[in-house]
Amino acid sequence: MVSVQNWTGQEAGALRAALRMSSRSFADHLGVALRTVAKWESLGTATRPRPDTQAILDTALARADTNVHARFEALLFPGRTHARPADYETWTEDIERAVACISRQNFPFATSLLNRWLGRHDPQALDDKGLYLYSRSLVLLGDLQRDQGAILGPLSAQHSYLTARGMFTELAIPRRVAQIELSLAVVEEMSGRLELSARQYERLAADERLSPRDRARAQLWVGTALSKEGHNEYATRAMTVATRAFEDLGEPEDWSVAHQKLALASRGAGELKQALHYIDIARTTGTVDSPMQKVRLDTAYGHILLSDTATRNDGLSVLDQAAQVARQYGLSHQLRSIEGIRESSRG
């Protein structure tokens, strides 16, 4: 809803036009003299109504319906992209639909849902609510770009996240800013900057801007980055702390994923028996509703099986199945990881 701090003749004239009233009707509506309305119209910003009349104009604007507010805003800010409340509701619904599509790796439809809004609006011309929805859409676009393996460059997750971070900073929403910083750390890890991403995760694991769950996830990802660097003992300690946090928070899915990560850290340390124990927990307690999670779980399981000559063929078979699902859903980053595991085993 538009508000006016100090009325001048310009705003008063815009309100008359938005109400679609003649000067006489507007004067009667406000209970002021016709010559007063004429003065506002002729002098514009050069005249200011008296304090009691300012209050009358405030009341008239507050009582007007949403269509009047839309016209009033368009008259005062002709360059601003206007979105009606109904548009915001539809945009919010499309964001929710995009979240569901991304969770199922239905990337084409999710992209369509997001781009119908991102392509329609200039963010610099949006009001705060519109800018919030635009930023949320950018973050989701970054999520699907990341899941598809487009992590660097002008049409990448990193670019989408950085743009959205600037917008949430402008809107002064620190929790959203911190969440994007966590996503940017994931991008760093995926691009191979493991020590840098581990430091970022460690900082965010103690960041009060984040929810307890997000801080626990950051703690878990400290371990994943360090595990890839071969620092398996420290990685396991970090992951164990995160696992306990997920249990305390009542987050069963995150708890299951943590055991998957612990399994890979144990494999890296050469503790195959412990790795099989952790991966069995992950496979029996985790949900595999999404193709992404199925690929990740099967990749971890296949990697562990491949580490033992007695189960090598089983490991290759599991990796083949994971690669088939990854290829079907366009999960190129996971495909590269699977191929890297195969190359490593052959080496």
Side-chain angles (χ1 to χ4, degrees):
M1 181 177 292
V2 185
S3 62
V4 178
Q5 297 299 318
N6 290 290
W7 291 86
T8 69
Q10 180 182 26
E11 288 80 24
L15 179 57
R16 181 195 63 75
L19 288 165
R20 292 179 174 169
M21 291 180 176
S22 66
S23 295
R24 184 175 297 279
S25 298
F26 188 51
D28 292 341
H29 180 67
L30 299 180
V32 300
L34 177 58
R35 63 177 178 274
T36 300
V37 174
K39 178 182 177 183
W40 294 340
E41 298 279 352
S42 63
L43 296 181
T45 56
T47 183
R48 291 179 180 273
R50 297 193 310 270
D52 58 333
T53 309
Q54 295 255 346
I56 292 172
L57 289 164
D58 286 338
T59 301
L61 179 60
R63 289 177 176 173
D65 63 29
T66 55
N67 291 325
V68 172
H69 278 270
R71 292 193 292 269
F72 182 65
E73 183 177 1
L75 288 165
L76 288 180
F77 310 105
R80 177 178 291 180
T81 301
H82 181 69
R84 298 170 299 169
D87 293 329
Y88 286 148
E89 291 175 9
T90 304
W91 196 346
T92 301
E93 290 169 359
D94 281 350
I95 285 175
E96 293 171 354
R97 294 166 70 196
V99 170
C101 288
I102 293 171
S103 71
R104 298 191 300 268
Q105 283 71 62
N106 185 356
F107 299 131
F109 188 47
T111 303
S112 174
L113 287 169
L114 296 171
N115 281 338
R116 70 174 56 168
W117 297 100
L118 293 173
R120 183 182 303 177
H121 295 291
D122 176 5
Q124 294 183 346
L126 287 168
D127 60 17
D128 284 356
K129 185 168 184 179
L131 190 61
Y132 176 84
L133 293 173
Y134 194 98
S135 304
R136 285 280 290 119
S137 300
L138 267 180
V139 170
L140 290 175
L141 182 65
D143 290 345
L144 71 85
Q145 289 168 330
R146 179 196 64 202
D147 288 350
Q148 290 180 297
I151 54 176
L152 300 174
L155 299 175
S156 68
Q158 185 184 59
H159 183 268
S160 297
Y161 288 147
L162 287 171
T163 305
R165 184 178 66 176
M167 293 177 180
F168 279 127
T169 301
E170 179 183 341
L171 290 168
I173 307 177
R175 183 175 69 90
R176 291 292 186 186
V177 173
Q179 287 176 332
I180 294 174
E181 290 173 3
L182 189 56
S183 295
L184 285 167
V186 174
V187 168
E188 296 288 356
E189 181 186 343
M190 291 176 67
S191 60
R193 301 185 185 94
L194 300 177
E195 289 189 10
L196 175 60
S197 64
R199 289 197 300 270
Q200 292 173 339
Y201 289 144
E202 204 158 35
R203 173 179 59 82
L204 290 164
D207 195 321
E208 291 296 329
R209 294 176 299 171
L210 291 170
S211 68
R213 182 192 177 212
D214 280 337
R215 292 200 298 271
R217 293 170 75 198
Q219 180 68 36
L220 176 66
W221 295 340
V222 170
T224 63
L226 293 176
S227 177
K228 291 176 184 178
E229 280 280 76
H231 306 306
N232 294 296
E233 183 178 350
Y234 186 86
T236 299
R237 289 202 300 270
M239 291 177 182
T240 301
V241 171
T243 305
R244 290 170 182 162
F246 290 135
E247 185 169 1
D248 293 339
L249 291 169
E251 294 287 350
E253 187 59 35
D254 289 320
W255 183 85
S256 177
V257 170
H259 279 84
Q260 174 187 322
K261 304 297 186 184
L262 280 167
L264 289 173
S266 297
R267 188 215 67 83
E271 300 172 358
L272 294 184
K273 184 176 180 181
Q274 189 69 17
L276 286 169
H277 170 69
Y278 285 136
I279 200 66
D280 282 345
I281 292 175
R283 296 178 71 217
T284 55
T285 61
T287 60
V288 288
D289 294 338
S290 80
M292 174 73 77
Q293 183 54 23
K294 177 173 175 53
V295 169
R296 286 173 173 166
L297 194 57
D298 285 349
T299 301
Y301 184 43
H303 197 180
I304 293 166
L305 292 176
L306 207 61
S307 302
D308 189 335
T309 54
T311 55
R312 176 180 170 79
N313 289 336
D314 291 336
L316 289 172
S317 177
V318 172
L319 287 178
D320 286 342
Q321 294 172 14
Q324 183 177 355
V325 176
R327 197 173 294 110
Q328 178 183 350
Y329 288 92
L331 306 176
S332 60
H333 182 77
Q334 279 64 39
L335 273 173
R336 289 194 293 269
S337 296
I338 292 168
E339 187 55 38
I341 292 169
R342 286 170 170 161
E343 288 293 333
S344 178
S345 71
R346 284 194 286 268

